[in-house]
Amino acid sequence: MPTVHDWINNPLAVVDGLFAQSNSSPDWEKKVVEYFKEKLKLNDAHTWVPSLNDVPLYYLKPNSLVKFRCMVQDMFDPEFFMGVYETNDLTSNSKVKCGKYKDITVGGQVDFNSRNTVTSERQTFYCVPIPGESQWAKEISFICQARVVPSTSYVPNRHKRSYEEDDEMDTQPQQLKDVRTQSSAESHGNTEPKRQETEAPSHDSSSAHCTSSLDLNFPLPGEKGPACLVKVYEDWDGFKLNDMLEVFGILSVDPALSVIADEREASSLLDPTEVTETVEEQRVHSPPPSLVPRLHMLYAQPLVHNNPLLPSSSEQSYLSSVLGELASVRAELHTYLTHVLMGDSLAAEYLILHLISNVYSRRDVLPLGKFTLNLSGCPHSSPYTEHLYKVIQQLVPSSYRLCMSLHNMNNQRMVPRKDYTANRLVSGTLQLANNTSLFLDETQLEQGQLDATGVRNITALGNLISWQKVDYDFNYHQMEFPCNINVLITSEGRSLLPSDSQVNLRPTLNPPNLEEYLSAVQVAQVPSQFNKYRIYLSGARALNYTISDEITKAVEEDFVEMRKDDPQSMSAEDLHRLLVVARLLSLSHGQNTLSRDGWMKAKQLEALRISRTQQQKSLSGNEP
Amino acid sequence: LLNVHEDPLSPPSQRSRAHDTSTELQPMPTSPAMDTAAQDVSLFSSPMAPHLFYPVLQSEVDASSPLMYGTPSSRVEGTPRSGIRGTPARQRADLGSVRKAPQVDMHSEPVSESCCHSEQGAGQRLVIWGTDVNVGTCKEKFQRFLQQFTAPNSREEENAGLDLNEPLYMQKLDEISVVGEPVLNVNCSHIQTFDADLYRQLICYPQEVIPTFDMAVNELFFDRLPDSVLEHQIQVRPYSALKTRNMRALNPEDIDQLITISGMVIRTSQLIPEMQEAFFRCQVCVFNTRVEVDRGRIAEPAVCRNCNTTHSMALVHNRSAFSDKQMIKLQESPEDMPAGQTPHTTVVYAHNDLVDKVQPGDRINITGIYRAAPMRLNPRQSQVKSVYKTHIDVIHFRKTDEKRLHGLDEDGEQKLFTKERVAMLKELAAKPDVYERLSSALAPSIYEHEDIKKGILLQLFGGTRKDFTQTGRGNFRAEINILLCGDPGTSKSQLLQYVYNLVPRGQYTSGKGSSAVGLTAYVMKDPETRQLVLQTGALVLSDNGICCIDEFDKMSDNTRSVLHEVMEQQTLSIAKAGIICQLNARTSVLAAANPVESQWNPKKTTIENIQLPHTLLSRFDLIFLMLDPQDEAYDRRLAHHLVALYYQSEEQIEEEHLDMAVLKDYIAFARTSVHPRLSEEASQALIEAYVDMRKIGSGRGMVSAYPRQLESLIRLAEAHAKVRFSSKVESIDVEEAKRLHREALKQSATDPRTGFVDISILTTGMSATARKRKEEVAQALKKLIQSKGKTPAMKYQQLFDDLRGQSEAAITKDMFDEALRALADEDYLTVTGKTVRLL
């Protein structure tokens, strides 16, 4: 039994073993990666690996295999390290050792002049948990895994979770967990008595992560969780900033890694190499490992989405199987959203389209498939937008609500900026992973003066919406980072920001107490229902989509026809929008291709929306 | 031998280099005349700084020492070296001789075996430890290079004023003796063409080869010019090593090699005085002694050699020798970066006179030696982090943007293309329809607007830069400015975004958000240094690029006014906070403007539609209207295009991306290497075209062309020749320029009342017919007033009604107001409120 988890508990032994076998032929490195990949593939082995996201760091065994679901927030400079080195003991027996997946050399004096020394290169990424990840996504993805921590006997105790969910989720993993804790207790009971003592689960495990004075550089304010320095050994060019990854790697928390500031100052006088880094830079690049652990990557799985209810690589075959019952789910979701939007079914329709939108391609500078929705006519005084955001948060795996108050606009850092003193990318609220829902609450905006930062922030938001890109500020120049963020704007009148489509909210219900009404709507939904919606939204987004030649012809005909009557009514831009609406509408019904019917429906929908907007215009025009 | 703080850690490169023992060198006799140079001896073991050992070589040295490199002939006594003797050698901190003292490993490696390779019979062939460099041969080769190398085709600025058919570097040596700056910059590519093997050695073993070069050049110099007096011995600074061009490509194999990388300075440290030599004085007997810094440490003498007092030696700071050092952070240039990644940075050390040569923000090419050193976790622990610290010891800086002050960076940019790429581009250029191909590759997602795309294409290429400063005309603008106006939602912004993404030095601003300061430059006080710093704005930043200005009409008048200077003189004058300067802003402006009334009014002229001052409009070479054509066939194609956009497969999109890369390279190549000149035939065609243009108007009493239009034509024709990679502007270029210019005029300068093209709409803001009409109305009004007899004051409304009743053409209120204003200008009347008074 104990051997089963050796590769999790002591992966370095595996690495060293393979290295020793290799007789210095370089392909041992590949073998190591292969070995772990194989192990992780076997019957859900990856779920046994403890997750940094959930288990507090002090429960994790140093140098064990852990996983971390994260977003690449910054990329540091590549570093050269001793891939292979030789040490001299006092007995002057020299030994050749492998330095890969380690931060510090072990044993004896390193012989720097050895012929066996091999210098290798690796890259460091600064990774943070996926920004704005919804509570439900965290709970679902970590609950069944965190309980089966083989290296410790830590059992997370979550008081936050509602009981219904507990009942739902726990039936199966509970049994698993029991077996697992038992087995781990057996295997480690003797070796780690100390850890057994610390078993008492803390009531507030998440707060333990963030007791730092160190700025962990999370994109969103109020985020919690560990940040991590991930050392990448292979193909680091394949990773991009803001990529979502699930990293499997060896945890390294040697306290010697952190540099104590005053000690440095004393020595820096004599050591000319040490002036290369400022104190700020030191703090960022060598933070205490108890706060920012190092993770030596063995294998990383890029995540297309972070919805834990779907398999991480959403294959079309899986999707089509799930989407069988799609029509009914869609109808239910539509009813639910209609209730939330106070009986406005058109707005609910557009909200669904918005939620499944996705930049699927770019044509030179033009992002295709984005669908920014401006929900105008939101009540100003009541906390309606707040509730609406909560509803969306319940549906999407990651989201963020940005209150566009003057204070926020003038003070918040939205665009990431390069800090050259600390040599890092200081994050901003617009550094978000793909398909994050950004909820811009314009009802919070009041009259007043925008200062330079405010103007810049508005421009950045405008660029984000129009081109789906954020120009990161590198002081001497700007760098463009494409993004894929679903932006929803709620406003009273038409938003000052551009949008792809504006729907004026027209409530048919007028509940006397809005709050009570909304919470009643929420409670009416069974939790399992939510999971269905979540799968639906993520699944519909990932579907393939085509337009047949026949339909293309029909659409062209239609366009010409529409323009014949009144060229003003239908511009090229309108056609753009109509094509996106048609696409999203088809996808939302689970159709892979545009049908004539779908096109007509899209047109009707648009006509309905436009007529409403125009009515609104004439209404408000008459007011003064 | 190891000390705690700074171990003499050897390079971590994979090739292991054996080292000799410095202890062997200890009993070296010191010649009193060679104060500093001789002092170094005990420190520098063989491979470093051979010139420092110079006097030693002539004395008796242990024959087994690796210092005995060189063929016997190089050590012949009595060669005339008085010049060198008299000139002090300066330590080359850039070669890192101090810190890189090698290690001894007597046990594992018997020195005598591996250090000197005795070679086949002919004689002793000694090479420097761990390398294949033979000092004698190397020196000889380099001297031969200096004496013989000519670069007849060199276009570098440094060589301006030199006779390119004479040996280049000998002239430079002469220059050194005149100027007295003992630095010889050597282009590595010259060495490569001259002797590939020498070049390889230089790249692989710079630490050994460069001192050898120093030695060679000093011998040569003082042989030729024995009487020259220099501050210190000449130092050779190689540059443009072809090894690496991109920071991202650096890898462990480059350690200890000579590399050249480009980047941008992001931070410079303060000057760090690095002690080279400590001066100690005995407190008891005032005996002085000097101690060299050895690998970052000073061995404080415990006993005074003179009076034998222990612990009596005190360090005297101001008599110790320091050298300057500066840490510079270099970031890779934005152009080198793959999309979606953050830029890398590298630490660079500048030494001695290279300190403070660069400022943050400078784009530079540096040549230097790449170093790596292990890091200690803790001074008291033997464990080390398994990570190395890397830096570059800089040998040569070359600013790339400084040259932009004088002209285009031809040298730097041209090398980016491989031979195959150039061949491919040339093949493309040879195609007869290259112009159409390129223009259709431009922003393929935007439908049609062929002429606009062609105009923008020509703008991307630009005309030929001409300098008329000698004749007092100043620079002749080579950049083409384009204004797009038209209905909102006709993808103007998209076109601008595309162009901005295409060109390397593009800037994108919106008229709404930018202030005059943001466009030009402003003076800022650096909070740290309290120094005034000039911060440049979008226009200056896009020097040699394109400045895209969206919502041009929303720009405040104040902001727009700075464009006047930029768009014709291509400079920006700044007088602020005591800084008065003129910055280059040779930028093409691509602007987009919306009509004032949200929809383009075809009944009005361009000026009336966009309400921009005509003084500014006349500075645009081409003004295009982007209007909705409202035609069925067009609609159909548009629909097809848009739908295709949404269902095209990944591969097709991939193909297009390739096109964009080709287009980028094509433009970059043409801009740097094609400089077309007008041919005789083309000049004639241009003259004819201009005369024709003037003729059109003169028939109707209008001026339809101004010299500015001729200049535009020339620029457009040149740009078209560039598209063809042709060094001559021919008549087909002029034809296309004419066509395009006419096309743009037809769109923007057509008088809506007469239907004729009238350039005065753009140059004076009013068509000639409109002006004539205005005069007529004014005259009619005057007559009307005169006919009323002696009435000093009249009611405004009354007068207006009278005039309307009298005139057969409809007279609008605007026209009436204008007429009143015209008469007021003549001092005939004044208008106060609702009454009109005669004067």
Side-chain angles (χ1 to χ4, degrees):
Chain A
M1 192 71 184
T3 53
V4 175
H5 297 308
D6 263 6
W7 60 273
I8 293 181
N9 285 324
N10 194 0
L12 282 175
V14 178
V15 174
D16 286 338
L18 285 168
F19 172 69
Q21 281 171 28
S22 69
N23 292 325
S24 66
S25 79
D27 61 334
W28 68 273
E29 307 192 337
K30 261 188 207 136
K31 276 188 195 157
V32 169
V33 177
E34 282 306 308
Y35 176 88
F36 284 100
K37 261 190 198 165
E38 282 304 310
K39 283 282 181 194
L40 287 168
K41 247 185 232 162
L42 284 175
N43 44 13
D44 284 346
H46 62 92
T47 54
W48 307 341
V49 180
S51 165
L52 255 183
N53 296 71
D54 189 53
V55 185
L57 192 58
Y58 45 83
Y59 282 114
L60 291 170
K61 189 169 170 272
N63 297 326
S64 66
L65 188 71
V66 295
K67 66 180 173 191
F68 185 41
R69 204 163 69 164
C70 57
M71 183 188 89
V72 181
Q73 190 271 324
D74 194 3
M75 293 165 151
F76 293 160
D77 295 332
E79 54 189 24
F80 292 170
F81 69 99
M82 291 171 237
V84 177
Y85 60 94
E86 202 169 349
T87 53
N88 295 324
D89 291 345
L90 292 172
T91 51
S92 85
N93 286 335
S94 66
K95 271 186 191 160
V96 178
K97 285 174 179 163
C98 150
K100 211 176 170 186
Y101 307 118
K102 286 170 204 155
D103 282 310
I104 293 171
T105 60
V106 277
Q109 186 77 49
V110 176
D111 178 8
F112 293 106
N113 296 313
S114 162
R115 288 175 181 283
N116 292 317
T117 305
V118 176
T119 309
S120 317
E121 193 179 2
R122 71 185 175 204
Q123 167 82 285
T124 308
F125 293 156
Y126 187 85
C127 296
V128 295
I130 295 166
E133 192 164 45
S134 304
Q135 194 60 36
W136 66 264
K138 285 183 190 162
E139 279 167 10
I140 293 171
S141 49
F142 303 131
I143 205 68
C144 44
Q145 297 152 17
R147 300 203 168 174
V148 286
V149 180
S151 66
T152 77
S153 311
Y154 164 69
V155 179
N157 191 352
R158 294 178 171 278
H159 292 276
K160 287 177 202 153
R161 290 169 59 242
S162 61
Y163 284 102
E164 306 96 47
E165 268 174 283
D166 253 326
D167 296 339
E168 268 243 323
M169 305 301 306
D170 277 1
T171 44
Q172 208 241 335
Q174 190 73 45
Q175 294 155 359
L176 234 174
K177 171 208 128 187
D178 288 337
V179 176
R180 205 55 64 198
T181 26
Q182 240 179 7
S183 75
S184 60
E186 267 170 39
S187 54
H188 299 285
N190 301 330
T191 51
E192 291 173 304
K194 248 192 176 169
R195 287 187 186 280
Q196 292 285 324
E197 281 163 32
T198 56
E199 197 188 333
S202 63
H203 279 246
D204 192 2
S205 60
S206 58
S207 74
H209 291 308
C210 57
T211 50
S212 64
S213 57
L214 199 76
D215 177 16
L216 289 181
N217 210 4
F218 293 130
L220 301 177
E223 287 268 294
K224 286 172 182 172
C228 199
L229 283 170
V230 177
K231 310 271 179 184
V232 188
Y233 290 85
E234 270 105 20
D235 306 321
W236 50 79
D237 286 339
F239 298 102
K240 288 191 168 149
L241 205 70
N242 306 344
D243 271 359
M244 285 189 287
L245 302 174
E246 176 137 55
V247 179
F248 292 90
I250 300 169
L251 183 72
S252 165
V253 286
D254 197 320
L257 282 172
S258 77
V259 204
I260 303 149
D262 47 315
E263 207 176 321
R264 297 197 61 77
E265 268 161 42
S267 65
S268 65
L269 281 173
L270 284 163
D271 195 339
T273 55
E274 294 190 4
V275 291
T276 52
E277 287 191 342
T278 57
V279 183
E280 291 91 341
E281 200 170 345
Q282 276 293 340
R283 282 168 67 100
V284 169
H285 290 256
S286 324
S290 54
L291 284 171
V292 183
R294 318 294 194 263
L295 194 58
H296 295 268
M297 182 195 283
L298 285 163
Y299 167 65
Q301 165 126 43
L303 299 176
V304 186
H305 62 83
N306 60 330
N307 189 339
L309 298 166
L310 262 69
S312 52
S313 56
S314 38
E315 291 134 22
Q316 295 291 325
S317 58
Y318 166 81
L319 288 174
S320 42
S321 72
V322 170
L323 298 176
E325 53 168 2
L326 191 128
S328 64
V329 180
R330 188 189 196 279
E332 284 167 40
L333 178 62
H334 184 249
T335 322
Y336 171 54
L337 288 179
T338 310
H339 280 299
V340 169
L341 294 169
M342 296 182 293
D344 189 338
S345 95
L346 181 72
E349 191 72 38
Y350 270 95
L351 190 56
I352 292 179
L353 300 189
H354 163 76
L355 288 174
I356 62 166
S357 69
N358 177 36
V359 178
Y360 65 95
S361 164
R362 279 168 199 273
R363 299 281 302 223
D364 42 73
V365 290
L366 193 72
L368 297 180
K370 67 172 176 109
F371 193 67
T372 304
L373 184 63
N374 175 205
L375 217 52
S376 62
C378 290
H380 166 62
S381 48
S382 62
Y384 176 70
T385 48
E386 209 180 311
H387 284 282
L388 185 59
Y389 172 64
K390 275 187 192 144
V391 168
I392 287 170
Q393 211 177 10
Q394 279 289 316
L395 295 174
V396 297
S398 43
S399 59
Y400 178 63
R401 172 171 178 240
L402 180 64
C403 291
M404 287 177 65
S405 65
L406 264 187
H407 178 82
N408 269 350
M409 293 317 288
N410 283 339
N411 292 296
Q412 210 172 51
R413 186 174 51 240
M414 294 193 185
V415 176
R417 174 180 61 86
K418 179 84 176 185
D419 176 356
Y420 284 114
T421 339
N423 196 12
R424 73 160 163 191
L425 189 67
V426 180
S427 196
T429 36
L430 294 187
Q431 189 176 16
L432 297 172
N434 278 357
N435 289 128
T436 305
S437 281
L438 181 63
F439 187 95
L440 296 178
D441 194 348
E442 207 185 281
T443 57
Q444 307 284 319
L445 191 61
E446 61 267 39
Q447 286 186 21
Q449 176 84 42
L450 278 179
D451 60 16
T453 324
V455 173
R456 225 173 298 137
N457 280 340
I458 293 273
T459 317
L461 285 176
N463 273 340
L464 169 71
I465 293 166
S466 314
W467 310 109
Q468 285 287 333
K469 62 163 193 181
V470 181
D471 288 318
Y472 289 16
D473 180 7
F474 279 82
N475 196 355
Y476 304 101
H477 60 99
Q478 291 192 330
M479 245 174 82
E480 185 182 305
F481 284 86
C483 56
N484 184 359
I485 298 173
N486 296 9
V487 186
L488 176 67
I489 311 164
T490 54
S491 58
E492 280 178 272
R494 212 175 84 97
S495 167
L496 61 91
L497 293 167
S499 64
D500 292 313
S501 131
Q502 182 207 350
V503 179
N504 196 47
L505 198 62
R506 192 173 292 173
T508 53
L509 305 165
N510 200 3
N513 189 334
L514 197 66
E515 247 168 277
E516 259 172 39
Y517 166 75
L518 285 171
S519 48
V521 169
Q522 286 234 40
V523 168
Q525 297 289 319
V526 192
S528 67
Q529 201 69 20
F530 275 115
N531 281 349
K532 272 196 205 162
Y533 298 159
R534 291 161 186 166
I535 294 174
Y536 165 76
L537 289 175
S538 297
R541 170 182 289 152
L543 278 179
N544 277 338
Y545 176 75
T546 51
I547 306 177
S548 67
D549 285 345
E550 187 197 344
I551 295 295
T552 311
K553 281 267 149 50
V555 169
E556 285 166 30
E557 288 296 327
D558 215 17
F559 179 69
V560 174
E561 205 55 41
M562 282 186 281
R563 278 181 64 91
K564 229 185 229 165
D565 304 340
D566 179 10
Q568 297 296 331
S569 70
M570 189 76 191
S571 67
E573 219 167 284
D574 294 325
L575 183 61
H576 266 291
R577 180 170 45 238
L578 206 49
L579 284 165
V580 177
V581 170
R583 173 196 161 86
L584 294 174
L585 200 62
S586 303
L587 289 181
S588 78
H589 285 287
Q591 287 153 0
N592 272 326
T593 171
L594 180 63
S595 63
R596 202 175 282 264
D597 191 37
W599 174 249
M600 290 322 285
K601 269 192 198 155
K603 265 175 67 182
Q604 278 166 12
L605 208 60
E606 273 294 279
L608 215 58
R609 183 185 67 84
I610 289 166
S611 73
R612 190 189 274 195
T613 319
Q614 272 163 356
Q615 272 174 33
Q616 189 62 29
K617 235 183 227 166
S618 59
L619 259 179
S620 58
N622 289 338
E623 261 168 24
Chain B
L1 234 137
L2 301 177
N3 70 53
V4 183
H5 283 292
E6 172 74 5
D7 272 346
L9 303 169
S10 80
S13 55
Q14 278 147 323
R15 78 195 146 96
S16 98
R17 186 187 290 182
H19 292 292
D20 65 303
T21 154
S22 53
T23 44
E24 271 178 80
L25 306 173
Q26 293 294 357
M28 214 83 75
T30 308
S31 118
M34 298 297 294
D35 203 73
T36 42
Q39 287 280 348
D40 297 333
V41 167
S42 60
L43 218 222
F44 304 118
S45 40
S46 68
M48 291 77 192
H51 67 276
L52 297 176
F53 300 110
Y54 224 46
V56 177
L57 289 176
Q58 290 158 40
S59 55
E60 308 156 15
V61 189
D62 178 10
S64 73
S65 158
L67 275 179
M68 292 285 297
Y69 45 65
T71 52
S73 68
S74 73
R75 286 186 278 126
V76 174
E77 300 252 353
T79 38
R81 281 177 196 154
S82 49
I84 305 182
R85 286 228 179 110
T87 314
R90 182 187 269 195
Q91 227 178 42
R92 294 205 59 163
D94 48 359
L95 297 178
S97 29
V98 179
R99 274 194 284 119
K100 303 297 295 180
Q103 263 215 321
V104 194
D105 196 347
M106 303 271 274
H107 306 288
S108 62
E109 240 153 7
V111 175
S112 53
E113 271 178 33
S114 53
C115 126
C116 315
H117 304 281
S118 325
E119 282 179 18
Q120 55 282 62
Q124 242 193 344
R125 292 259 308 163
L126 296 170
V127 293
I128 299 180
W129 199 238
T131 72
D132 61 354
V133 180
N134 176 294
V135 173
T137 333
C138 179
K139 209 162 76 176
E140 229 170 78
K141 275 181 177 175
F142 187 63
Q143 285 179 343
R144 206 166 344 120
F145 164 76
L146 292 178
Q147 283 165 333
Q148 294 176 4
F149 182 79
T150 56
N153 300 320
S154 166
R155 291 173 64 167
E156 286 175 69
E157 281 164 61
E158 283 93 334
N159 303 343
L162 297 182
D163 183 354
L164 292 178
N165 294 317
E166 290 293 306
L168 184 72
Y169 289 99
M170 295 315 279
Q171 299 180 59
K172 288 200 175 177
L173 284 184
D174 293 343
E175 215 171 65
I176 289 175
S177 80
V178 175
V179 180
E181 196 187 339
V183 170
L184 179 71
N185 295 324
V186 178
N187 190 333
C188 291
S189 58
H190 290 167
I191 299 183
Q192 192 183 25
T193 45
F194 188 80
D195 185 338
D197 193 48
L198 187 66
Y199 170 77
R200 182 190 57 77
Q201 287 185 338
L202 171 66
I203 296 299
C204 294
Y205 314 110
Q207 197 159 316
E208 291 78 16
V209 173
I210 294 173
T212 316
F213 282 4
D214 280 355
M215 194 154 68
V217 76
N218 280 304
E219 269 177 37
L220 199 66
F221 181 78
F222 289 108
D223 266 353
R224 270 170 69 96
L225 310 149
D227 301 329
S228 301
V229 179
L230 292 179
E231 197 190 331
H232 56 85
Q233 294 196 358
I234 297 173
Q235 298 191 342
V236 174
R237 300 221 170 116
Y239 65 91
S240 289
L242 296 175
K243 178 83 181 135
T244 317
R245 300 235 19 135
N246 185 339
M247 203 179 288
R248 211 162 270 271
L250 287 178
N251 62 44
E253 269 101 72
D254 293 321
I255 291 173
D256 283 330
Q257 305 213 337
L258 191 70
I259 52 168
T260 297
I261 57 171
S262 62
M264 190 172 66
V265 179
I266 53 169
R267 193 152 60 89
T268 55
S269 76
Q270 304 218 307
L271 191 145
I272 306 160
E274 196 176 38
M275 191 179 278
Q276 296 295 334
E277 189 187 61
F279 186 92
F280 287 96
R281 173 171 286 168
C282 175
Q283 305 284 58
V284 179
C285 64
V286 205
F287 172 79
N288 297 337
T289 185
R290 291 161 192 270
V291 181
E292 277 287 338
V293 173
D294 185 1
R295 302 152 207 163
R297 295 205 85 193
I298 303 157
E300 188 182 338
V303 183
C304 173
R305 269 193 283 159
N306 193 34
C307 62
N308 282 330
T309 326
T310 51
H311 302 295
S312 65
M313 305 297 281
L315 183 70
V316 181
H317 267 283
N318 53 6
R319 293 195 62 182
S320 301
F322 292 89
S323 71
D324 293 346
K325 181 173 158 183
Q326 187 180 35
M327 193 270 290
I328 295 163
K329 272 256 162 110
L330 198 68
Q331 182 186 281
E332 71 186 312
S333 347
E335 296 91 60
D336 289 344
M337 251 174 306
Q341 306 214 344
T342 58
H344 287 177
T345 56
T346 310
V347 175
V348 174
Y349 281 115
H351 300 271
N352 295 327
D353 55 329
L354 291 178
V355 165
D356 268 346
K357 279 279 155 66
V358 292
Q359 294 286 323
D362 286 349
R363 303 274 187 106
I364 56 171
N365 280 334
I366 69 157
T367 304
I369 304 174
Y370 197 37
R371 308 277 195 195
M375 290 192 289
R376 265 201 193 294
L377 273 179
N378 183 317
R380 282 173 290 283
Q381 280 176 358
S382 66
Q383 276 188 327
V384 286
K385 267 192 189 175
S386 57
V387 178
Y388 294 103
K389 273 212 134 87
T390 52
H391 70 265
I392 298 170
D393 278 321
V394 68
I395 290 174
H396 187 275
F397 280 130
R398 189 185 173 87
K399 280 194 200 181
T400 45
D401 48 358
E402 191 176 71
K403 285 189 291 172
R404 282 170 50 210
L405 293 173
H406 307 297
L408 280 171
D409 184 4
E410 284 146 11
D411 176 58
E413 286 175 22
Q414 209 169 337
K415 275 190 193 127
L416 292 172
F417 303 112
T418 58
K419 269 182 197 149
E420 297 85 64
R421 192 73 173 169
V422 172
M424 195 272 267
L425 294 177
K426 285 196 169 145
E427 193 187 318
L428 182 61
K431 295 203 167 114
D433 59 343
V434 59
Y435 181 51
E436 279 73 23
R437 268 171 194 255
L438 292 180
S439 71
S440 63
L442 197 74
S445 66
I446 295 157
Y447 185 60
E448 287 207 337
H449 297 300
E450 286 306 320
D451 282 331
I452 296 175
K453 284 188 185 175
K454 281 178 180 168
I456 291 176
L457 186 72
L458 294 187
Q459 181 184 35
L460 290 169
F461 283 89
T464 313
R465 198 160 279 155
K466 311 166 197 73
D467 193 359
F468 289 104
T469 22
Q470 266 127 8
T471 53
R473 168 74 165 74
N475 273 324
F476 196 93
R477 171 158 68 98
E479 281 71 21
I480 296 168
N481 298 323
I482 294 180
L483 176 69
L484 308 173
C485 18
D487 292 335
T490 39
S491 47
K492 294 189 295 292
S493 307
Q494 204 184 320
L495 206 52
L496 258 57
Q497 275 282 341
Y498 181 87
V499 170
Y500 159 65
N501 278 297
L502 187 71
V503 293
R505 260 190 283 272
Q507 290 289 323
Y508 184 95
T509 58
S510 170
K512 223 194 265 174
S514 51
S515 61
V517 159
L519 277 181
T520 57
Y522 59 103
V523 179
M524 203 184 73
K525 196 169 248 173
D526 191 294
E528 261 174 58
T529 58
R530 319 269 313 140
Q531 216 173 22
L532 286 176
V533 189
L534 200 62
Q535 294 278 334
T536 46
L539 284 171
V540 181
L541 284 177
S542 55
D543 187 23
N544 274 328
I546 292 188
C547 189
C548 302
I549 306 175
D550 206 352
E551 308 199 53
F552 196 61
D553 48 313
K554 306 268 189 321
M555 207 176 246
S556 71
D557 292 342
N558 193 3
T559 314
R560 232 181 268 139
S561 65
V562 303
L563 286 170
H564 280 104
E565 185 189 353
V566 171
M567 287 177 63
E568 203 54 60
Q569 272 70 46
Q570 305 275 288
T571 54
L572 258 177
S573 307
I574 291 164
K576 223 176 250 173
I579 296 181
I580 298 168
C581 63
Q582 204 170 42
L583 298 172
N584 274 328
R586 288 156 306 184
T587 168
S588 312
V589 174
L590 176 62
N594 286 323
V596 180
E597 308 165 6
S598 79
Q599 201 76 35
W600 190 267
N601 187 346
K603 295 200 176 63
K604 288 186 170 176
T605 61
T606 310
I607 300 264
E608 287 161 340
N609 259 314
I610 53 178
Q611 298 273 320
L612 284 173
H614 57 84
T615 43
L616 198 54
L617 280 192
S618 65
R619 284 172 163 80
F620 285 101
D621 297 85
L622 298 171
I623 298 175
F624 286 109
L625 299 188
M626 281 181 97
L627 297 180
D628 220 337
Q630 310 192 345
D631 142 38
E632 191 181 318
Y634 171 85
D635 289 350
R636 194 175 299 274
R637 279 172 309 187
L638 175 66
H640 183 75
H641 179 81
L642 289 181
V643 179
L645 206 63
Y646 278 84
Y647 78 90
Q648 255 180 6
S649 62
E650 290 284 326
E651 295 116 62
Q652 280 163 302
I653 288 166
E654 202 56 34
E655 246 167 55
E656 240 156 51
H657 270 281
L658 198 76
D659 264 0
M660 188 159 165
V662 172
L663 185 62
K664 260 185 183 171
D665 285 0
Y666 195 95
I667 292 168
F669 185 78
R671 278 183 79 102
T672 51
S673 42
V674 185
H675 305 279
R677 299 185 69 87
L678 289 179
S679 66
E680 187 52 41
E681 160 204 22
S683 323
Q684 281 306 322
L686 279 169
I687 293 168
E688 269 169 41
Y690 182 60
V691 171
D692 279 352
M693 276 162 72
R694 293 204 42 116
K695 256 190 219 155
I696 296 172
S698 63
R700 283 177 279 130
M702 298 186 286
V703 181
S704 54
Y706 290 90
R708 263 204 184 136
Q709 270 72 48
L710 179 59
E711 286 177 19
S712 289
L713 276 184
I714 295 171
R715 275 191 288 271
L716 290 170
E718 283 167 348
H720 189 260
K722 266 193 194 178
V723 174
R724 300 185 297 121
F725 281 5
S726 159
S727 59
K728 257 200 305 192
V729 179
E730 290 166 46
S731 48
I732 46 163
D733 303 317
V734 179
E735 281 309 310
E736 174 57 23
K738 250 166 67 183
R739 190 195 66 79
L740 206 59
H741 193 257
R742 200 171 50 228
E743 211 51 51
L745 272 186
K746 215 190 276 175
Q747 290 182 7
S748 59
T750 305
D751 187 341
R753 293 183 189 86
T754 60
F756 288 115
V757 172
D758 183 355
I759 191 72
S760 56
I761 291 176
L762 299 178
T763 49
T764 63
M766 194 182 275
S767 71
T769 41
R771 198 178 313 112
K772 214 159 127 199
R773 176 109 121 238
K774 192 174 109 184
E775 264 163 40
E776 280 167 10
V777 175
Q779 285 315 314
L781 181 65
K782 198 171 177 180
K783 256 188 213 152
L784 178 76
I785 295 171
Q786 277 166 350
S787 71
K788 294 208 169 193
K790 287 194 174 79
T791 37
M794 281 159 287
K795 284 270 187 312
Y796 174 91
Q797 194 60 41
Q798 175 77 42
L799 200 58
F800 180 40
D801 290 342
D802 285 356
L803 185 66
R804 276 212 334 208
Q806 188 193 43
S807 167
E808 57 259 39
I811 297 208
T812 62
K813 199 160 182 307
D814 285 345
M815 287 164 81
F816 177 66
D817 283 342
E818 256 176 27
L820 279 179
R821 227 172 295 133
L823 292 181
D825 286 347
E826 285 175 27
D827 282 341
Y828 184 69
L829 48 78
T830 57
V831 183
T832 44
K834 289 280 165 212
T835 37
V836 178
R837 283 172 210 286
L838 288 185
L839 292 172

